[in-house]
Amino acid sequence: MLLPLALQNRGLMHSLLCLSGSHLSNTDPTYSMAQHHHFGMAMEFLLKDPVLTGQIAIAGDPTIATTLILCLNSICKGETEGEYRPHLDAARHMLSSASSAEGRSNTFSNFLYEFFMYHDVINSVTTLDRRPILLMENYTLPAFIIQPEAGALLGVLDGLFGYLSKITLLRDQIRTRKANGEHPSVDYEVLSQAVAIDSEIREWVPAQIPESHRYIAAQLYRQSTWVYLYRTIMPSTANPKIQLAVEEGLQYLRRLPENSGTQSILLMPLFILGCAAFEPSQRPEISRRFQGLHEYSRLGNIVTAHEVVKKIWELMDQGDEEKSWDWENIIKEMGYDFLVT
């Protein structure tokens, strides 16, 4: 079995113990002490890893897994000062190096890549300076990637995150035009790109089993991606079209049981829907969903994401079109740097 084999790496074992204590440490201080112990041990083993000390060239799956779990530890603790960055950057380096494609274990390697890419792409939704590896020039999928009908994580291998990354680029272009005082900020070139992305999103079909919870969650991701596009190219003002789009997203949410495993992947789409909730009547349900996600997982980043969304609502209600459009800058001004994964 691939996972048990990977767990023979002592750094990974300590990282898993560190992560598993994150939820319990919120209610029992003895678990917090154990968590700190295992976090320290994980870092010790990671720093001694031959891959990172230059003794060998190939980054093994256990080392990459350890690094990603340390990134998850930051999410669980609700850290807001970019503590996840060195771990995500290390994983990026190891996964993007040419040698990391040699001797990989296929299924587990595939999962690690998806896991990294999921966080890497979503990272760009809340930051001004973090852009996905998908956007790198001449980027190609690693040689070890298996192309299943549906990957382990929504959006990564089925193409949807490619559209999400393209929208992030559009936001960068528009933000630059705004900063340079260029009018209109959404010019013909940007609009043409947006039309092409809109067509791709509409044609995208989930690879999951129809009407399953994952299929409904995939539809929610698709709807949120379209909302992300709309919020990027349209004025940051109330509009019947965006109100309907948010409502359709909420309808998908209502079809997902609040005690099911899909709750663990709903923060990103919920955050985007929240950033588009100009209609005050939609906000209580969105707030309740944030609270429900936190009650389900106790992940600290959920509380921070909700705080940001509430700040955006304040700016919307004040009629501040410029500031309410640019939630990445709002997050920066609030002094936050976190993941909505």
Side-chain angles (χ1 to χ4, degrees):
M1 295 292 291
L2 295 175
L3 188 56
L5 178 62
L7 288 176
Q8 293 176 16
N9 177 280
R10 290 182 295 170
L12 180 54
M13 289 177 67
H14 281 282
S15 296
L16 286 168
L17 289 169
C18 167
L19 181 61
S20 65
S22 295
H23 168 75
L24 294 171
S25 64
N26 290 328
T27 56
D28 190 331
T30 60
Y31 285 103
S32 181
M33 294 176 62
Q35 180 187 2
H36 285 304
H37 165 74
H38 289 293
F39 181 83
M41 294 299 294
M43 291 301 296
E44 179 181 338
F45 287 120
L46 190 61
L47 291 172
K48 291 179 180 179
D49 194 292
V51 173
L52 301 184
T53 56
Q55 298 175 35
I56 59 176
I58 298 176
D61 287 343
T63 302
I64 297 172
T66 301
T67 307
L68 290 173
I69 289 175
L70 291 174
C71 178
L72 280 184
N73 181 68
S74 177
I75 295 172
C76 292
K77 293 169 66 177
E79 294 176 332
T80 59
E81 298 182 0
E83 291 87 348
Y84 67 88
R85 288 185 177 230
H87 307 307
L88 207 56
D89 286 343
R92 176 193 288 243
H93 173 73
M94 288 185 282
L95 283 167
S96 62
S97 63
S99 60
S100 67
E102 302 173 8
R104 306 307 296 272
S105 59
N106 292 332
T107 303
F108 191 51
S109 302
N110 212 67
F111 171 75
L112 290 178
Y113 172 83
E114 281 191 81
F115 196 85
F116 162 76
M117 191 64 71
Y118 180 82
H119 290 79
D120 187 50
V121 172
I122 293 179
N123 195 187
S124 67
V125 173
T126 55
T127 59
L128 292 166
D129 64 330
R130 308 280 289 181
R131 294 299 172 256
I133 193 174
L134 282 174
L135 299 179
M136 293 176 59
E137 188 175 357
N138 300 322
Y139 174 76
T140 56
L141 286 174
F144 58 80
I145 286 296
I146 307 168
Q147 288 286 358
E149 183 180 60
L153 295 170
L154 298 177
V156 179
L157 296 183
D158 55 24
L160 191 62
F161 272 25
Y163 312 147
L164 203 71
S165 298
K166 290 179 182 179
I167 298 169
T168 298
L169 280 185
L170 284 186
R171 290 185 69 80
D172 288 344
Q173 293 178 46
I174 294 171
R175 187 177 291 107
T176 298
R177 291 182 62 82
K178 288 176 179 285
N180 294 337
E182 300 180 56
H183 298 285
S185 56
V186 179
D187 62 356
Y188 178 78
E189 181 180 350
V190 170
L191 189 59
S192 296
Q193 295 176 59
V195 169
I197 297 171
D198 176 79
S199 178
E200 290 175 321
I201 295 172
R202 293 177 186 277
E203 293 176 0
W204 183 81
V205 178
Q208 287 71 30
I209 299 173
E211 299 310 311
S212 65
H213 289 164
R214 284 179 58 81
Y215 179 87
I216 296 170
Q219 292 283 24
L220 172 61
Y221 267 65
R222 178 192 184 194
Q223 184 70 13
S224 299
T225 301
W226 189 88
V227 169
Y228 187 43
L229 176 63
Y230 186 97
R231 283 290 275 120
T232 294
I233 63 170
M234 298 299 292
S236 187
T237 56
N239 183 290
K241 193 169 186 178
I242 193 63
Q243 180 180 348
L244 177 60
V246 172
E247 177 58 31
E248 290 176 352
L250 291 175
Q251 288 176 6
Y252 288 123
L253 268 176
R254 293 171 194 140
R255 295 173 63 188
L256 294 171
E258 295 187 38
N259 61 349
S260 72
T262 53
Q263 297 299 302
S264 63
I265 57 171
L266 297 186
L267 182 56
M268 185 277 285
L270 182 61
F271 177 81
I272 292 181
L273 292 180
C275 290
F278 290 92
E279 173 54 50
S281 65
Q282 295 176 326
R283 297 173 186 174
E285 181 174 1
I286 291 174
S287 286
R288 187 181 67 79
R289 283 287 178 169
F290 271 112
Q291 294 163 2
L293 290 186
H294 187 250
E295 290 172 1
Y296 176 83
S297 68
R298 293 294 176 182
L299 297 182
N301 62 335
I302 297 172
V303 175
T304 306
H306 193 194
E307 288 180 11
V308 171
V309 167
K310 287 189 286 188
K311 178 62 178 180
I312 295 170
W313 291 344
E314 290 179 13
L315 294 169
M316 287 175 172
D317 293 343
Q318 293 169 10
D320 195 329
E321 182 179 335
E322 289 300 316
K323 284 191 175 181
S324 64
W325 179 88
D326 196 354
W327 61 76
E328 299 93 331
N329 199 51
I330 292 171
I331 292 171
K332 180 180 178 181
E333 290 179 351
M334 292 176 73
Y336 292 153
D337 181 1
F338 67 104
L339 290 160
V340 286
T341 55

